[in-house]
Structures are given as C-alpha cells and as structure tokens.
Amino acid sequence: EKKTYDSSGSQRRSKRDKGESERKRPPPPSSPEEYADVARERYESREGFTFNSTRRPPANSSQHSVVRQFLNDFCVSIVMLLIARNLILLPVGILFGFVNHASDLLSMNDGNPHIYYLFWPGGERQGSKRRKKRDKIGCAGEGKKRYTYYRNEFKENMPAIISLLNINAIPACVQTLVSAAILKGLAAFVPDQLPVTIADATRLEMAGLPVCTTLFFWSMVKGFDECKTL
C-alpha cells in the first residue's frame, strides 16, 4: 500500500476500498471440518472438477509461513548457488539497463529449456501516454515454442524477452550440486508418512503446502518402495 497520495480524498478512498475488499474475502478455515466444508462448497460452486474448483480456500497463518519458508529459504538458496557461479542473469540493479536485450547470447529462441524474463522497456505506449504493464519471469521447456507463442500473442506489441538461464548450459558438475541441494531442501517439506484418509490430508494441508504439492515432493525425495502407495 502506498504511503502518500495525491490528495487526502484519494487516500480515504484507497483505505475504504481496501477495507471493503478484506470484508468480502472469507476468513481462513479454523478446523479440518470447516476446511473440508469450504473446499466442498468451492468444488460444487465451480460445477465439478475444474482448475478453479481445485484451488485452495484462503490460507491461514501456518500455510503462509510454510510458503514463505519455501520461497525465501529454499528457492532463494538454489538461485544463490547459480548466482555464485555466474550462470544466471538477474533483471535488477542499475546496470541491467545497459544489457543488450537483442544479443543472441540472451535469446530463448532455440530448442533448449530456459528461465526467461518478459518485459516492456520503458512501459508500453498506448496513444500519447505510456502505460506500464506487468513483467513476467517464466520457465519454458522449449524456448522456441514459448517465444513463438508470445510473438503470435502480442504481434506488433511484442515485448522484450531474454533468457536469464539456459538450463542446458549449466555444467554437469553444477547440475549434480544443484540437484543434491534441491532434493535435500524438498525433504524438509514432506511429512513422516503419507495421509491415509481425507481427514489426514486436510490436516496436512492446513499446516503446510497443498497436498498435491506435498505428494509431488514426496515422490521426488523418497525411494521406489515408499512411493508405491501414491
């Protein structure tokens, strides 16, 4: 939320709008039974199994805490391994503006997997004004396919897209190091045993990451015999 506004009137409207938005948002479920009821209502209101129906109800403080741990501790530590070896380009800092975005060295228009940065340098022009659009950092299994998709999507308004990391260019020794760090880090987010009942799964999700994410992490860090029940 901005601390200063053009006028006191705009400040009051902003606070009121924020308060109304928070009042409309349902409170986080406080028990496994309430969580299951909210999930069931969301499923039924979306007319069956769709992407929206499988989204989680509003997160509680425990869920937010685990997500912050996953992003700020685990994910950042993996990126720092790549930064220390000068393998990844960060789109921050005053020197980023001097990067040649058109260089072939930063192109994702090939068959390799990439982590890429999509942005509009200086904002997108709309009429006589410039309108800032939201930038995006994404991952593509095949850079050329994703680049072609964006070219067809934006046409003459094509933004700048550069590769922050060509995954195939990571040396084998670094891949081994990063893979080991990922498996070790993910192990902190899996339970001692898998949930057996819906109530078990509900309790697990209320205190951590989504159940589907937890099961995916389990399949990555556990052996074959431990994954037979998945």
Side-chain angles (χ1 to χ4, degrees):
E1 183 183 4
K2 294 182 178 180
K3 301 300 182 181
T4 58
Y5 300 87
D6 296 336
S7 66
S8 59
S10 62
Q11 184 177 8
R12 286 194 297 270
R13 285 194 297 272
S14 176
K15 289 183 177 180
R16 184 172 62 250
D17 292 343
K18 181 179 179 181
E20 291 175 354
S21 175
E22 290 179 347
R23 284 194 296 271
K24 292 179 180 178
R25 184 179 303 169
S30 58
S31 67
E33 293 75 16
E34 183 180 347
Y35 192 95
D37 290 340
V38 172
R40 188 182 302 108
E41 291 175 2
R42 180 180 292 268
Y43 175 86
E44 293 174 350
S45 65
R46 299 303 192 281
E47 297 182 353
F49 189 79
T50 65
F51 176 78
N52 287 331
S53 70
T54 57
R55 297 182 66 181
R56 291 208 295 177
N60 57 40
S61 58
S62 296
Q63 291 168 321
H64 281 302
S65 176
V66 176
V67 169
R68 286 193 295 268
Q69 179 186 353
F70 175 77
L71 295 175
N72 299 336
D73 296 340
F74 169 67
C75 292
V76 170
S77 68
I78 299 302
V79 173
M80 291 301 295
L81 290 175
L82 299 172
I83 293 175
R85 290 157 180 81
N86 296 318
L87 292 173
I88 189 169
L89 174 65
L90 298 181
V92 296
I94 58 176
L95 296 180
F96 182 74
F98 295 95
V99 173
N100 179 10
H101 306 146
S103 171
D104 291 339
L105 296 175
L106 298 179
S107 174
M108 63 175 285
N109 192 18
D110 55 32
N112 297 326
H114 291 266
I115 295 176
Y116 63 90
Y117 179 45
L118 180 152
F119 62 104
W120 284 263
E124 182 190 30
R125 179 171 295 279
Q126 186 177 29
S128 60
K129 300 181 180 180
R130 301 193 73 86
R131 178 170 60 91
K132 182 65 177 178
K133 295 194 69 174
R134 179 175 295 180
D135 301 337
K136 173 185 177 180
I137 292 180
C139 182
E142 184 175 340
K144 186 173 184 178
K145 287 185 178 180
R146 187 63 54 87
Y147 186 87
T148 302
Y149 166 80
Y150 285 130
R151 186 172 58 194
N152 294 334
E153 177 73 14
F154 294 106
K155 297 181 173 60
E156 67 275 4
N157 295 321
M158 182 70 173
I161 304 177
I162 62 174
S163 173
L164 301 178
L165 175 65
N166 182 343
I167 297 177
N168 279 358
I170 301 177
C173 59
V174 180
Q175 291 185 34
T176 301
L177 177 67
V178 171
S179 297
I182 289 175
L183 294 177
K184 181 179 179 180
L186 292 181
F189 297 94
V190 300
D192 295 331
Q193 62 183 23
L194 290 175
V196 178
T197 65
I198 294 178
D200 292 340
T202 301
R203 282 190 290 269
L204 177 64
E205 182 161 314
M206 283 195 66
L209 298 174
V211 168
C212 55
T213 302
T214 303
L215 296 180
F216 175 63
F217 290 171
W218 177 285
S219 69
M220 294 182 66
V221 304
K222 297 295 184 179
F224 175 79
D225 291 337
E226 296 171 294
C227 295
K228 287 182 178 178
T229 57
L230 285 178

